[in-house]
Amino acid sequence: MLRTLRYLGGACGLAGGDFPAACGLSRGRPWLLRRVCRCGRSASTSSFDVVIVGGGIVGLASARALIQRHSALSLGLLEKEKDLALHQTGHNSGVIHSGIYYKPASLKAKLCVQGAALIYEYCSKKGISYKQCGKGLMAIDCPYTGIVDYRQVALSFAQDFQDAGGSVLTNFEVKDIEMAKESPSGSQDGMKYPIVIRNTKGKEIRCQYVVTCAGLYSDRISEMSGCSPEPRIVPFRGDYLLLKPEKCYLVKGNIYPVPDSRFPFLGVHFTPRMDGSIWLGPNAVLAFKREGYKPFDFSARDVMDIIINSGLVKLVVENFSYGVNEMYKACFLGATVRYLQKFIPEITVSDILRGPAGVRAQALDRDGNLVEDFVFDGGVGDIGSRILHVRNAPSPAATSSLAISGMIADEVQQRFEL
C-alpha cells in the first residue's frame, strides 16, 4: 500500500501516449498473442451471457474485470483484427499518466490517478518491467514515472480473461447487431440470448448483453445497434520523429511541454521507449481515413462522414491557425525541430528521422466541440436497454484501463442487474 501511495503521489504530470501505435509496429510477445486468441470457431453460432466488442486495452481490461466479478457467466470478446491490441493506445511503450494534465473534476483526472497506481501494482505482480534532461524556465520532476509496454499489458489482460474461462474470437468484424427474430430450431437461444451479433462473413454470436469498446468505430457500432451515433469520431493522425541512436544520450527521461488547454492533445514530447529508442512527437493532423496511419491514406466514406455528420467544419473555422501550424510542422521537419530545441537545444535536423504514426479516435459533437472526457451510454428499446457503449475513451485510457474497467463493471452490474 505504501508503495502504491508513493507512486500515486510521485507520478505527477507525465501524461504519455496521445496516439495509438500503428498497426504492426507493436513489439509484444508473439507467443502470447497466439496463445490467447481462439480464432475461427467451428460452430456457426455461439452463445454468451455477455459479449464485449473490441480487443483493445479498454475492451480487454473490461472483459477481465467482468469475468472476475461474474465468474458464473459466460463471456466472449470479439475483435475484427487477426490479433489483439493491434491499434494499441499509448504508442505501445507509453508513459504512465497521473492526471495533472486534466481538469480536476473530470473522469479523465480521477480515473487517471487511480489507474496509474493500479497499473504500477499490476505490472509488478505480473513481472512486467517498467522504467523509471532538458532545459526550460521551469519543470516538475516526477522520479516515479513509469514506461510501460501497454500492448504487453493488454495481452496480459487477455490471458487473465481466458484463464478465467472467457472466449476470444478474432477476425470477427461486426456488421449487424439486432434482436433475434426467432429461435433456432430445437434451441432456446432466441429467448435466453435475444441479441444477434453478425459479422461480415455471416457468422453469428448470440448473447444477453453487449458492452462495446470499439475505439475508432464506436459511433458506427452504436448506430448499428440502434443507439445514437453522437458524438461522432474524427480521426487525428499523430506523426512521430525518431532520435538517431547515437543521439539518444541527449534524452534521459520523459519531457513533456505544458499542453494547450484548448485542445486534448498533449503537444510534442520526448518519450523513451522500452527498446531504448527515443520518440519525438506527436503532432496532431486530421486523418482522411479512420485507420489512416500514412499521410496519403484515404477513405471516401470516412471523409464524407467527417464532413457531413460531425462538427469538423466549425472546429476548423474556429481553430484555423492551429490547424495550419500543425500541418506546417508535419511537412517541414525544421519547424518541429525548432520547437524541440526549446527543451534540448543540441538537437538538430540531422539528428532525427521520420518515424511511425498513430491515430487518435477523437469524439466531436455537432457544435464542433472536442469531447475531452470519457463517455459511456446505452440506449432505449429492446437492444438499447441491453447494451453499454464506451463512446469516448481517449488518452489516458491506457493508464486508466483498470480504473475504467472497474467503472464499466459497476455500470454493467447496475444497468443489467447482474
Side-chain angles (χ1 to χ4, degrees), residues 296-348:
F296 298 105
D297 285 345
F298 180 84
S299 166
R301 179 191 177 187
D302 291 348
V303 170
M304 293 303 295
D305 195 26
I306 292 171
I307 295 174
I308 296 173
N309 296 319
S310 75
L312 180 66
V313 174
K314 293 182 180 179
L315 177 69
V316 170
V317 170
E318 293 176 3
N319 302 280
F320 183 75
S321 60
Y322 178 89
V324 170
N325 185 52
E326 288 297 301
M327 291 295 292
Y328 181 77
K329 288 193 295 184
C331 295
F332 300 99
L333 294 183
T336 302
V337 170
R338 284 194 293 273
Y339 180 81
L340 295 172
Q341 287 172 339
K342 294 180 180 180
F343 304 92
I344 300 183
E346 295 84 354
I347 289 181
T348 66

Coordinates of all heavy atoms in Angstrom, one line a residue, residues 296-348:
F296 N -1.1 9.7 -46.9 CA -1.9 9.6 -48.1 C -3.0 8.5 -48.0 O -3.7 8.2 -49.0 CB -1.1 9.4 -49.3 CG -0.1 10.5 -49.6 CD1 1.2 10.4 -49.3 CD2 -0.6 11.8 -50.0 CE1 2.1 11.4 -49.5 CE2 0.3 12.8 -50.2 CZ 1.7 12.7 -50.0
D297 N -3.2 7.9 -46.8 CA -4.3 7.0 -46.6 C -5.6 7.8 -46.8 O -5.8 8.9 -46.2 CB -4.3 6.3 -45.3 CG -3.2 5.3 -45.2 OD1 -2.7 4.9 -46.3 OD2 -2.8 4.8 -44.1
F298 N -6.6 7.2 -47.6 CA -7.8 8.0 -47.8 C -9.0 7.0 -47.9 O -8.9 5.9 -48.5 CB -7.6 8.7 -49.2 CG -8.8 9.5 -49.6 CD1 -9.0 10.8 -49.1 CD2 -9.8 9.0 -50.4 CE1 -10.2 11.5 -49.4 CE2 -10.9 9.7 -50.8 CZ -11.1 11.0 -50.3
S299 N -10.1 7.4 -47.4 CA -11.3 6.7 -47.5 C -12.4 7.7 -47.7 O -12.7 8.6 -46.9 CB -11.7 5.9 -46.2 OG -13.0 5.5 -46.2
A300 N -13.1 7.5 -48.9 CA -14.2 8.5 -49.3 C -15.3 8.4 -48.2 O -15.8 9.5 -47.9 CB -14.7 8.1 -50.7
R301 N -15.6 7.2 -47.8 CA -16.7 7.1 -46.8 C -16.3 7.9 -45.5 O -17.2 8.6 -44.9 CB -17.0 5.7 -46.5 CG -18.1 5.5 -45.5 CD -18.2 4.1 -45.0 NE -19.2 4.0 -43.9 CZ -19.5 2.9 -43.2 NH1 -18.7 1.8 -43.4 NH2 -20.4 2.8 -42.3
D302 N -15.1 7.7 -45.0 CA -14.7 8.3 -43.8 C -14.7 9.8 -43.9 O -15.1 10.5 -43.0 CB -13.3 7.8 -43.4 CG -13.4 6.3 -42.9 OD1 -14.5 5.8 -42.7 OD2 -12.3 5.7 -42.8
V303 N -14.2 10.3 -45.0 CA -14.1 11.8 -45.3 C -15.5 12.4 -45.3 O -15.8 13.4 -44.7 CB -13.3 12.1 -46.5 CG1 -13.5 13.6 -46.9 CG2 -11.9 11.7 -46.4
M304 N -16.4 11.8 -46.1 CA -17.8 12.3 -46.2 C -18.5 12.2 -44.8 O -19.2 13.1 -44.4 CB -18.6 11.5 -47.2 CG -18.1 11.7 -48.6 SD -18.1 13.4 -49.1 CE -19.8 13.8 -49.1
D305 N -18.2 11.2 -44.1 CA -18.8 11.0 -42.7 C -18.3 12.2 -41.8 O -19.1 12.8 -41.1 CB -18.4 9.7 -42.1 CG -19.3 9.3 -41.0 OD1 -20.4 9.8 -40.9 OD2 -18.8 8.5 -40.1
I306 N -17.0 12.5 -41.9 CA -16.5 13.5 -41.1 C -17.1 14.9 -41.4 O -17.5 15.7 -40.6 CB -14.9 13.6 -41.2 CG1 -14.3 12.3 -40.6 CG2 -14.4 14.8 -40.6 CD1 -12.8 12.2 -40.9
I307 N -17.2 15.2 -42.7 CA -17.6 16.5 -43.2 C -19.1 16.7 -43.0 O -19.6 17.7 -42.5 CB -17.3 16.7 -44.7 CG1 -15.8 16.7 -44.9 CG2 -18.0 17.9 -45.2 CD1 -15.4 16.7 -46.4
I308 N -19.9 15.7 -43.3 CA -21.4 15.8 -43.2 C -21.9 15.6 -41.8 O -22.8 16.4 -41.4 CB -22.0 14.8 -44.2 CG1 -21.6 15.1 -45.6 CG2 -23.6 14.8 -44.0 CD1 -22.1 14.0 -46.6
N309 N -21.4 14.7 -41.1 CA -22.1 14.3 -39.8 C -21.5 14.8 -38.6 O -22.0 14.7 -37.5 CB -22.1 12.7 -39.7 CG -23.0 12.1 -40.8 OD1 -24.1 12.6 -41.2 ND2 -22.5 11.0 -41.4
S310 N -20.3 15.4 -38.7 CA -19.6 15.9 -37.4 C -19.5 17.4 -37.5 O -19.9 18.0 -38.5 CB -18.2 15.3 -37.3 OG -17.3 15.9 -38.2
G311 N -19.0 18.0 -36.4 CA -18.9 19.4 -36.4 C -17.5 19.9 -36.8 O -17.0 20.9 -36.3
L312 N -16.9 19.1 -37.7 CA -15.5 19.4 -38.1 C -15.4 20.8 -38.7 O -14.4 21.5 -38.5 CB -15.0 18.3 -39.1 CG -13.5 18.6 -39.5 CD1 -12.6 18.4 -38.4 CD2 -13.2 17.6 -40.7
V313 N -16.3 21.2 -39.6 CA -16.2 22.4 -40.3 C -16.1 23.6 -39.3 O -15.3 24.5 -39.4 CB -17.4 22.6 -41.2 CG1 -17.3 24.0 -41.8 CG2 -17.3 21.6 -42.3
K314 N -17.0 23.5 -38.2 CA -17.0 24.6 -37.2 C -15.6 24.5 -36.4 O -15.1 25.6 -36.1 CB -18.1 24.3 -36.2 CG -19.5 24.6 -36.8 CD -20.6 24.3 -35.8 CE -22.0 24.6 -36.4 NZ -23.0 24.3 -35.4
L315 N -15.1 23.3 -36.2 CA -13.8 23.2 -35.5 C -12.7 23.9 -36.3 O -11.9 24.6 -35.7 CB -13.5 21.8 -35.2 CG -12.2 21.5 -34.5 CD1 -12.2 22.0 -33.1 CD2 -11.9 20.0 -34.6
V316 N -12.7 23.6 -37.6 CA -11.6 24.1 -38.4 C -11.7 25.6 -38.5 O -10.7 26.3 -38.4 CB -11.7 23.5 -39.9 CG1 -10.8 24.2 -40.8 CG2 -11.4 22.0 -39.8
V317 N -12.9 26.2 -38.7 CA -13.1 27.6 -38.8 C -12.6 28.3 -37.5 O -11.9 29.3 -37.6 CB -14.6 28.0 -39.1 CG1 -14.8 29.5 -39.0 CG2 -15.0 27.5 -40.5
E318 N -12.9 27.7 -36.4 CA -12.6 28.4 -35.1 C -11.1 28.2 -34.7 O -10.6 29.0 -33.9 CB -13.5 27.8 -34.0 CG -15.0 28.2 -34.2 CD -15.9 27.5 -33.1 OE1 -15.3 26.8 -32.2 OE2 -17.1 27.7 -33.2
N319 N -10.5 27.2 -35.3 CA -9.1 27.0 -34.9 C -8.2 26.8 -36.1 O -7.3 26.0 -36.2 CB -9.0 25.7 -34.1 CG -9.9 25.7 -32.8 OD1 -9.5 26.3 -31.8 ND2 -11.0 25.1 -32.9
F320 N -8.4 27.7 -37.1 CA -7.8 27.6 -38.4 C -6.2 27.7 -38.2 O -5.5 27.0 -38.8 CB -8.3 28.7 -39.3 CG -7.7 28.6 -40.7 CD1 -8.1 27.6 -41.6 CD2 -6.7 29.5 -41.1 CE1 -7.5 27.5 -42.9 CE2 -6.2 29.4 -42.4 CZ -6.6 28.4 -43.3
S321 N -5.8 28.7 -37.5 CA -4.3 28.9 -37.4 C -3.6 27.7 -36.7 O -2.5 27.4 -37.1 CB -4.1 30.2 -36.6 OG -4.6 30.1 -35.3
Y322 N -4.3 27.1 -35.7 CA -3.7 26.0 -35.0 C -3.5 24.8 -36.0 O -2.5 24.2 -36.1 CB -4.6 25.6 -33.9 CG -4.1 24.3 -33.1 CD1 -3.2 24.5 -32.0 CD2 -4.5 23.0 -33.5 CE1 -2.7 23.3 -31.4 CE2 -4.0 21.9 -32.8 CZ -3.2 22.1 -31.7 OH -2.7 21.0 -31.1
G323 N -4.6 24.6 -36.8 CA -4.5 23.5 -37.8 C -3.5 23.7 -38.8 O -2.7 22.8 -39.2
V324 N -3.3 24.9 -39.3 CA -2.3 25.3 -40.3 C -0.9 25.0 -39.7 O 0.0 24.5 -40.4 CB -2.5 26.7 -40.8 CG1 -1.3 27.1 -41.7 CG2 -3.7 26.8 -41.6
N325 N -0.7 25.4 -38.5 CA 0.6 25.3 -37.8 C 0.9 23.8 -37.7 O 2.1 23.4 -37.9 CB 0.6 25.9 -36.5 CG 1.9 25.9 -35.8 OD1 2.9 26.3 -36.4 ND2 1.9 25.4 -34.6
E326 N -0.1 23.0 -37.3 CA 0.2 21.5 -37.2 C 0.5 20.9 -38.6 O 1.4 20.1 -38.7 CB -1.0 20.8 -36.6 CG -1.2 21.1 -35.1 CD -0.1 20.6 -34.3 OE1 0.2 19.4 -34.3 OE2 0.6 21.4 -33.6
M327 N -0.2 21.3 -39.6 CA 0.1 20.8 -41.0 C 1.5 21.3 -41.4 O 2.3 20.5 -42.0 CB -0.9 21.4 -41.9 CG -2.3 20.8 -41.8 SD -2.4 19.0 -42.1 CE -2.0 19.0 -43.9
Y328 N 1.9 22.5 -41.1 CA 3.2 23.0 -41.4 C 4.3 22.2 -40.8 O 5.3 21.8 -41.4 CB 3.3 24.5 -41.0 CG 4.7 25.1 -41.4 CD1 4.9 25.5 -42.7 CD2 5.6 25.3 -40.4 CE1 6.2 26.1 -43.0 CE2 6.8 25.9 -40.7 CZ 7.1 26.3 -42.0 OH 8.3 26.9 -42.4
K329 N 4.2 21.9 -39.5 CA 5.2 21.1 -38.8 C 5.2 19.7 -39.3 O 6.3 19.0 -39.3 CB 4.8 21.1 -37.3 CG 5.1 22.4 -36.6 CD 5.1 22.3 -35.1 CE 3.7 21.9 -34.5 NZ 3.7 21.9 -33.1
A330 N 4.1 19.2 -39.8 CA 4.1 17.8 -40.3 C 4.8 17.7 -41.6 O 5.5 16.7 -41.9 CB 2.6 17.3 -40.5
C331 N 4.8 18.8 -42.4 CA 5.5 18.8 -43.7 C 7.0 19.2 -43.6 O 7.8 18.7 -44.4 CB 4.8 19.8 -44.6 SG 3.1 19.3 -45.0
F332 N 7.3 20.1 -42.7 CA 8.7 20.6 -42.6 C 9.3 20.2 -41.2 O 8.9 20.8 -40.2 CB 8.7 22.1 -42.8 CG 8.1 22.5 -44.1 CD1 6.8 22.9 -44.2 CD2 8.9 22.4 -45.3 CE1 6.3 23.3 -45.5 CE2 8.4 22.8 -46.5 CZ 7.1 23.2 -46.6
L333 N 10.3 19.4 -41.3 CA 11.0 18.9 -40.0 C 11.6 20.0 -39.2 O 11.6 20.0 -38.0 CB 12.0 17.8 -40.3 CG 11.5 16.5 -40.9 CD1 12.7 15.6 -41.1 CD2 10.5 15.9 -40.0
G334 N 12.1 21.0 -40.0 CA 12.8 22.1 -39.3 C 11.9 22.9 -38.3 O 12.3 23.3 -37.2
A335 N 10.6 23.0 -38.6 CA 9.6 23.6 -37.8 C 9.5 22.9 -36.4 O 9.4 23.5 -35.4 CB 8.3 23.8 -38.5
T336 N 9.4 21.5 -36.6 CA 9.3 20.7 -35.3 C 10.6 20.8 -34.5 O 10.5 20.9 -33.3 CB 8.9 19.3 -35.7 OG1 7.7 19.2 -36.4 CG2 8.8 18.4 -34.5
V337 N 11.7 20.7 -35.2 CA 13.0 20.7 -34.5 C 13.2 22.0 -33.7 O 13.7 22.1 -32.6 CB 14.1 20.5 -35.5 CG1 15.5 20.8 -34.8 CG2 14.1 19.1 -36.0
R338 N 12.7 23.1 -34.3 CA 12.9 24.4 -33.6 C 12.1 24.4 -32.3 O 12.5 25.0 -31.3 CB 12.4 25.6 -34.5 CG 13.4 26.0 -35.6 CD 13.0 27.3 -36.2 NE 11.8 27.2 -37.0 CZ 11.7 26.8 -38.3 NH1 12.8 26.5 -38.9 NH2 10.6 26.8 -38.9
Y339 N 10.9 23.7 -32.3 CA 10.1 23.6 -31.1 C 10.9 22.7 -30.1 O 10.9 23.0 -28.9 CB 8.8 23.0 -31.4 CG 7.9 22.9 -30.2 CD1 7.2 23.9 -29.7 CD2 7.7 21.6 -29.6 CE1 6.4 23.8 -28.6 CE2 6.9 21.5 -28.5 CZ 6.2 22.5 -28.0 OH 5.5 22.4 -26.9
L340 N 11.4 21.6 -30.6 CA 12.1 20.7 -29.7 C 13.4 21.3 -29.1 O 13.7 21.0 -27.9 CB 12.6 19.4 -30.5 CG 11.4 18.5 -31.0 CD1 12.0 17.5 -31.9 CD2 10.6 17.9 -29.9
Q341 N 14.0 22.2 -29.8 CA 15.2 22.9 -29.3 C 14.9 23.8 -28.1 O 15.8 24.2 -27.3 CB 15.8 23.7 -30.4 CG 16.5 22.9 -31.4 CD 17.0 23.7 -32.6 OE1 16.5 24.8 -32.9 NE2 17.9 23.1 -33.4
K342 N 13.6 24.1 -27.8 CA 13.3 24.8 -26.6 C 13.6 24.0 -25.4 O 13.9 24.6 -24.3 CB 11.8 25.2 -26.6 CG 11.4 26.2 -27.7 CD 9.9 26.5 -27.6 CE 9.4 27.4 -28.7 NZ 8.0 27.7 -28.6
F343 N 13.6 22.7 -25.5 CA 13.9 21.8 -24.4 C 15.3 21.2 -24.4 O 15.9 21.1 -23.4 CB 12.8 20.7 -24.4 CG 11.4 21.2 -24.3 CD1 10.7 21.4 -25.5 CD2 10.8 21.5 -23.1 CE1 9.4 21.9 -25.5 CE2 9.5 22.0 -23.1 CZ 8.8 22.2 -24.3
I344 N 15.7 20.9 -25.6 CA 17.1 20.3 -25.8 C 17.7 21.1 -27.0 O 17.6 20.7 -28.1 CB 17.1 18.8 -26.0 CG1 16.5 18.1 -24.8 CG2 18.5 18.3 -26.2 CD1 16.5 16.6 -24.9
P345 N 18.4 22.2 -26.7 CA 19.0 23.0 -27.8 C 20.0 22.3 -28.7 O 20.1 22.7 -29.8 CB 19.7 24.1 -27.0 CG 19.0 24.2 -25.7 CD 18.7 22.8 -25.4
E346 N 20.6 21.2 -28.2 CA 21.6 20.5 -29.0 C 21.0 19.7 -30.2 O 21.7 19.3 -31.1 CB 22.4 19.5 -28.1 CG 23.2 20.1 -27.0 CD 22.4 20.5 -25.8 OE1 21.2 20.3 -25.8 OE2 23.0 20.9 -24.8
I347 N 19.7 19.4 -30.2 CA 19.1 18.7 -31.3 C 19.0 19.5 -32.6 O 18.7 20.6 -32.6 CB 17.6 18.2 -30.9 CG1 17.7 17.2 -29.8 CG2 16.9 17.7 -32.1 CD1 16.3 16.7 -29.3
T348 N 19.4 18.8 -33.7 CA 19.4 19.4 -35.0 C 18.6 18.6 -35.9 O 18.3 17.4 -35.6 CB 20.8 19.6 -35.5 OG1 21.4 18.3 -35.8 CG2 21.7 20.4 -34.6

